[in-house]
Amino acid sequence: MKIWRKENTRPIKEDKAQKDEEFTDISAASTPKEEPKKDKMEEIYSTKDKQIKYKRLTPLEAEQAAKLREKLALGEAELAPQDTAEDEKIVELTSEFEEGTVIAEDIIEDVDNLHSKHPVEIQDIDEIDIPIDPTSAVKKYERQANSTSRHDERLKQKPKNAYEQIFGKPKFYVGSERVVAKIPTYQHESKVNRIHLKAGRFTDIVSSEYDEYLKSKAVVSSRKEEEKHEEQRPSLLFTLSQLANQKNAEKKAAEQVQVQAAPVQVKPKKKKGPLHKAYRKVKKFLKIAYKMVVPNSNKKPLKADTEQKPKTVDYQSRQDLKFVEKEISKNFRKLFLRASLGLVIFVLALTLTIMEKSAGLMMFSGIALTPLIYCSVNLLILVLIGVLSKSFIVSGLKPLKHFKGNSDTALSVAYVACMLQQIVSIFMPGAFVASDFHLYTAILSLCISIHTVGRLTMVYRVKENFRFIAAKSPAYAARIYNDEDTARKMLSGTTASHSVIAYQHKTEFLSDFLKISYAPDPSEELSGKLSPITLVSSVFVAIVYGFLFKSFLGALCALAVMCCISIPISALLAGNIPLLLCSKNSLKHGAMLSGYPSIRQFDDCNAIMVNAKELYPKGCIKINKIKYFAEYRIEDAMLSAATIMKTANSPLRYAFSDMLKENAHNLPKVESVMYEDKLGLVGWVNGERVLIGNRKLLDRFHIYIEDAADELNYKNHNKEVTYIACSGQLIALVVSTYSPDKKVKDELTRAQKNGLCLIVSTTDSNITADKIALDYEIFPRTVKVLNTGFATTCNEVCSKKEESTRAYLATRGSISSLIHAITNAISFRQNLTIGLIVQIFGLILGVLLTATLVLYASVSILGVIEILLYMIFWGIAAVVSQLLNKP
């Protein structure tokens, strides 16, 4: 039977004598042994001549071949003789390596030059073998050829052993672990001195050449596993870039040497006379004075190599402590100097105005330039005011681009109007001395001085509050409970109209301090909103005045007086002086209010969440008497009860503080503890149940009390009775006195007047809402003791510790400080509303009166002294109205 040989089988070798044959024969099977059936291919291996024969069978032919083998084995059939030509056509594959040779696994693809004539020498790959330079490429190739020839000569000169001399090849030991791997050597198809670029970029060609080079430097896989991980080689582009950078550096160094060697042209120095030296001294003095007066004038851009710290936007970490403190002190000194100089300038301007109005300048009537000197001095004063308040004027004019304003806008507009009036007065000085027109320099200098004093007050408040922030004492941040549904349920049954509950918790850092401290108050915001409106009204009045009286100078003076009367003189004082007093008052009681955002955060608060231990701190609970009912293990039972009270954070634990200190190292382990509403504590210690509470708690656990009348004898207004039982046995009866804390009592009295309620979480059955109201003398409906579920929520939010919290309101942990600060916030908001009403009324009334008098009479009817008195009166009224009702 003949089988077709398919061409898509494995690569095969054919003998030259059998090249023209087309079929193979299976008659050469030496044994009639039954072979397993295969669907595609059968392989017969011959270990004698190391040949592999292949046959291709179809399923039908395979079945027939199997039957034929059975018949041949039984002797029922004989094989027909085959032609010798067909026997010669046997396809065989000879093994390339000797038996037992292991092929390396890291050779994963076939290569054309696997049968290399010369053995491969593993060379160092630290050097890039790409012939970029033609000369170096030829030399490189010659060195490689010489190295291979020398290697062949060494092999020929090497002495051979007996086996090699007989058989002509080295002896091979079966079963050895020798690994053979033939690695192709990378080389060009022919010796070339250049690289031809047909298409693509040069970098792609070079990269591909370099990759081929790395493949040629493969390593025989017989080395150890840990040696396979080689260091990553730098790329060709990286190496070339390093060489280029090195050449550029050498070129620059050579250029510098040439520049240094060149002769330097020195210009002859000019002789400086005594006038030049005097000019330098005056210039230096003026520069120092300008730096002291004008802020941010002595700041230079930071250099890259210096270690100077950049200005921080806010107090962000403890590392910024000294820097922020230094900046605050520097701002305070600058504002203090500017305020002092502003008041001196105001006194000078007011003196000139009084002299002009009271005919004081008549003594100089003989001098023809007296009006010009008077106007020039006023212009000089106005220029000095502009230098002092340059930052205010610039910051006030910027928002006018979008027809908006801030607290400095009205002041800036008035300065521009007065400056225009002063410039015109230089050309017409006679119209402003003993005439109908006036110069309003004194009004503007007073407004700028008061504005600076308001800024100084703000910085002083920030400076005082920062001492509280910078202290190393523990800080507690006040927060508002944000779950409205739970807050409403907590306040049910009290007099609170809405559910805004404040509490405090410990924090590591108080953030956003400067941002909150410098935030504008409602007085500043209101003046900023009114500034564009007053500007439009002032321009309108000036235009109407010019049409009515046909006078350009009169219209300019009307614009100046309208802009001056539109300045809210108490815009900063009305908000910052009361806030400074409120902040200092809070600091005395251990609390810190940063700024107006703190007031706005807590002004609508109507309840405070506290723990019972804060209402009855250490020293407020004292033990009067202890009556024992058992004689066995009393000390152990009392120690277990004290440990449970400490674990539950009960206020009664302070009465057993001496016992806890003496046995601090021997305290029993509390397995669990639970508080029963209005009953007491139930805890487990060492497998024993311990009860600490009132009589109802013992009745619930069926513990009998022999003499029930003793409780009535001991219990009165201040005294309370607590039972202690262990393992179902009554141990003791503790009679204790609960006294209110004096500071907390005073603060709760003030808080009740401002509508604050008290929410208490407790683990002491003796502390009830009626007892708290009775001890602290407050209305019972303003106090509520939470049940177990809400008390757990209260304890969780009050006991948590945060890494960073916003510095709206901070304390040292005392509940009296928190109540005092929140009460101050509520009172301040009420006073601020009164001050705003007074300020708005005075500003609107002044604008209307001034416009009416200017249009119906003349500008001459409004003198400088009259306007000054009006503005000072309403400024004082706005400030005093906020101080009448003390927080």
Side-chain angles (χ1 to χ4, degrees), residues 794-806:
C794 175
N795 294 331
E796 287 179 357
V797 297
C798 294
S799 61
K800 70 178 181 180
K801 184 178 180 180
E802 292 184 351
E803 295 183 359
S804 178
T805 311
R806 286 192 173 184

Side-chain angles (χ1 to χ4, degrees), residues 40 105 152 203 222 275 398 464 469 492 517 539 575 630 677 683 712 850 881:
K40 294 184 178 180
E105 296 178 356
D152 293 340
T203 55
S222 60
L275 293 177
K398 285 182 179 179
E464 293 295 321
I469 297 289
S492 62
S517 300
V539 173
D677 290 335
L712 300 176
T850 303
S881 62

Side-chain angles (χ1 to χ4, degrees), residues 306-341:
T306 59
E307 296 181 356
Q308 184 178 359
K309 188 174 182 180
K311 183 177 180 181
T312 55
V313 179
D314 206 336
Y315 179 52
Q316 300 172 351
S317 65
R318 288 284 181 181
Q319 298 176 355
D320 302 332
L321 180 63
K322 293 183 179 180
F323 182 78
V324 173
E325 190 174 8
K326 184 179 178 180
E327 286 292 320
I328 294 174
S329 301
K330 184 169 41 175
N331 293 335
F332 179 79
R333 289 194 299 269
K334 288 181 179 179
L335 288 173
F336 180 78
L337 180 60
R338 291 167 60 184
S340 303
L341 292 176

